[in-house]
Amino acid sequence: HGYIGDLEIVDDHRAGKVVVDLVGRINKCGVISPRFDVTIGGIEQLASNILPSRQFGHLVLTTPYGIMDHEEARRKHTGGKIVGFF
């Protein structure tokens, strides 16, 4: 969607860190901790609970196919763990 400019994964020999360079303006973002599992059917319910509107915002998920937003995960018909939102 054009919000992420660069993504760097830092290995600190523990849990690791992800450094994200944002290129767009984001009003609110947050991290979901703990990173609980989200099934395909639960993505819509989770999005309605966390996001301010159906048209605005994205959930960030880690899936077996990589890191993606909730709309792409729904298109690829996969679930995963929720990381955060913006």
Side-chain angles (χ1 to χ4, degrees), residues 22 42 64 73:
L22 301 174

Side-chain angles (χ1 to χ4, degrees), residues 1-2 39-41 43-44 54 57-59 61 63 65 67-80:
H1 298 281
T39 61
I40 299 164
I43 291 175
E44 189 68 34
R54 290 179 61 98
H58 299 281
L59 296 176
L61 302 171
T63 68
Y65 304 107
I67 297 175
M68 60 185 72
D69 69 340
H70 69 284
E71 294 171 353
E72 186 177 355
R74 199 169 35 226
R75 280 194 304 270
K76 291 188 176 182
H77 200 69
T78 185

Side-chain angles (χ1 to χ4, degrees), residues 26-82:
I26 296 178
N27 293 332
K28 181 179 179 183
C29 65
V31 175
I32 306 295
S33 182
R35 296 180 180 149
F36 55 90
D37 293 330
V38 180
T39 61
I40 299 164
I43 291 175
E44 189 68 34
Q45 179 65 36
L46 188 66
S48 67
N49 289 344
I50 295 175
L51 299 178
S53 173
R54 290 179 61 98
Q55 294 93 6
F56 300 109
H58 299 281
L59 296 176
V60 180
L61 302 171
T62 62
T63 68
Y65 304 107
I67 297 175
M68 60 185 72
D69 69 340
H70 69 284
E71 294 171 353
E72 186 177 355
R74 199 169 35 226
R75 280 194 304 270
K76 291 188 176 182
H77 200 69
T78 185
K81 291 187 179 285
I82 184 163

